[in-house]
Amino acid sequence: MSKLAKKKSYDEDFKKMIVELYENKKPVVEIKREYGIAEATLYRWIKEYGKINVANNETTTNHEIKRLKKELAQAKEENEILKKAVAIFTQK
């Protein structure tokens, strides 16, 4: 029988701190060694939490974009429900 590796779980603040170290030019080798993080994991966090430059010198992250897309989809769904409710109540 093979033993399954226990998957470590990191909180969002820790992930953001690691990405900030990377963005502040700390070498990947040092981050991996110091925090015991796999290189693939580090690059996945950079993709998710790394800064993205947008208009007007603002920055965002893929994580924030995903959150906003989910929020927008929910608002659209609520809007459709309200439109249907208004149509039902205005017929009476």
Side-chain angles (χ1 to χ4, degrees):
M1 284 171 60
S2 66
K3 293 183 178 182
L4 295 175
K6 187 174 181 181
K7 188 174 180 180
K8 291 183 181 180
S9 179
Y10 300 97
D11 68 14
E12 192 172 322
D13 289 335
F14 179 78
K15 294 174 185 179
K16 288 178 180 179
M17 188 240 352
I18 295 297
V19 172
E20 189 173 328
L21 291 173
Y22 173 81
E23 288 177 338
N24 288 324
K25 308 295 186 224
K26 184 163 187 161
V28 170
V29 174
E30 285 184 32
I31 295 171
K32 287 174 21 181
R33 183 182 52 219
E34 196 170 324
Y35 296 96
I37 300 167
E39 190 168 333
T41 300
L42 175 59
Y43 283 112
R44 187 173 61 250
W45 293 352
I46 290 166
K47 184 178 178 182
E48 186 171 357
Y49 295 102
K51 292 178 184 165
I52 300 169
N53 292 323
V54 292
N56 302 326
N57 293 327
E58 292 183 29
T59 60
T60 191
T61 64
N62 279 325
H63 184 75
E64 179 69 6
I65 291 169
K66 287 177 189 175
R67 186 189 68 75
L68 291 170
K69 283 183 175 182
K70 185 177 179 180
E71 191 176 309
L72 178 59
Q74 183 178 352
K76 284 180 176 180
E77 184 177 327
E78 290 171 358
N79 192 22
E80 287 303 314
I81 292 168
L82 290 171
K83 283 180 185 179
K84 290 176 184 176
V86 167
I88 291 169
F89 288 117
T90 56
Q91 288 177 353
K92 292 182 178 183

